[in-house]
Amino acid sequence: MDQSALLDFDRSVLPLPNVRSFSLQDWEERIRYGCTLRDLKELEATLQSAPLGLPRLTFLGSGDFHHVSYLLIKRLEALGPMQVIVFDNHPDNMRYPWGIHCGSWVRHVCRLPFVSRVVVIGITSNDIQSRHLLENYLRPLYSGKLRYVCFSPPPRLARLLGLSSIQSSESDVDTLRRLMEDLLKSDRHPVYLSIDKDVLSPETVQTNWDQGRLEGESLLAAVAVLKPFLVAADVTGEISSYTYRTFWKRMLTRLDGQSPPLPTDLEKQQQQQQRFNQKLAALILS
């Protein structure tokens, strides 16, 4: 398995040592935030024809491209059963009838037969609060294929609906380590790890989306526990600026509360991101 790769859709990942970069800027408008399944299939064919190999670690740029994780997981089917652990401030299991987007890709992963389960860790967003819980795909939660671990109290509606797969946890280092150990005991399959850095506190890094409360030290400690069991990993959540040409993407991102970074702050924020990427890469690839 190759060491690391960058799928460079948006030029948001600053240079990292020993990371092979694949230029995909021509795909940015089509893929960013969301796309049709046909567009995703065409991107899949492009990745298959590229000398990408099977990277142990892949950087994807902004969290707007998190749905590309589905393709990275799908191409590992020949390696056999695996579980998928996602660190994210959002469930990424929201209803989306027009294809796939960065907030719905987890549901597609849950439908892959070789994936034993998916665990999303770190949710504090409103995507599961109150009536918004009904905007999630509930079937994988009821079946046990999907589990949410929130860093905020679980919604009352989850209890009323009998969704025991939605639980809460503290986010400190020791609790996260124990949680990882419990996950590895309850499912012996190897792990695909997907990290959206919007799970981190704004003091740790700045991203394009509303952020959670996880501190960098806690995330690194959790990754260290998972490391011996990793099949591969990907990282999203860079900060970048982009103006959509497509009206519906401009509309939906505004409705989702996404706001562009200030141009005067962007360089500093990307340098902050680079420093954390270096820590993640050193840990996962060592």
Side-chain angles (χ1 to χ4, degrees), residues 206-265:
Q206 290 284 333
T207 76
N208 283 110
W209 290 95
D210 58 297
Q211 292 184 228
R213 62 183 60 168
L214 187 62
E215 298 303 323
E217 180 185 2
S218 295
L219 177 58
L220 293 170
V223 173
V225 176
L226 296 174
K227 178 184 171 181
F229 304 90
L230 289 184
V231 173
D234 67 57
V235 177
T236 69
E238 310 301 321
I239 189 163
S240 64
S241 182
Y242 185 71
T243 302
Y244 292 101
R245 298 192 298 271
T246 310
F247 169 76
W248 68 266
K249 290 190 177 185
R250 293 199 302 271
M251 179 184 69
L252 288 179
T253 51
R254 281 199 298 267
L255 290 174
D256 274 343
Q258 189 179 30
S259 56
L262 294 174
T264 53
D265 297 335

Side-chain angles (χ1 to χ4, degrees), residues 5-16 19-29 31-32 43 47 52 58-62 65 68 72 235 238-240 270:
L6 163 62
L7 302 186
D8 190 7
F9 293 97
D10 64 349
R11 300 183 178 90
S12 64
V13 180
L14 298 186
L16 294 166
V19 176
R20 290 191 304 154
S21 180
F22 296 86
S23 178
L24 293 166
Q25 280 96 47
D26 290 345
W27 287 87
E28 184 169 11
E29 177 69 23
I31 301 299
R32 188 168 185 142
L43 175 63
L47 296 180
L52 180 61
T58 305
F59 291 92
L60 298 175
S62 165
F65 300 100
V68 179
L72 298 179
V235 177
E238 310 301 321
I239 189 163
S240 64
Q270 288 184 338

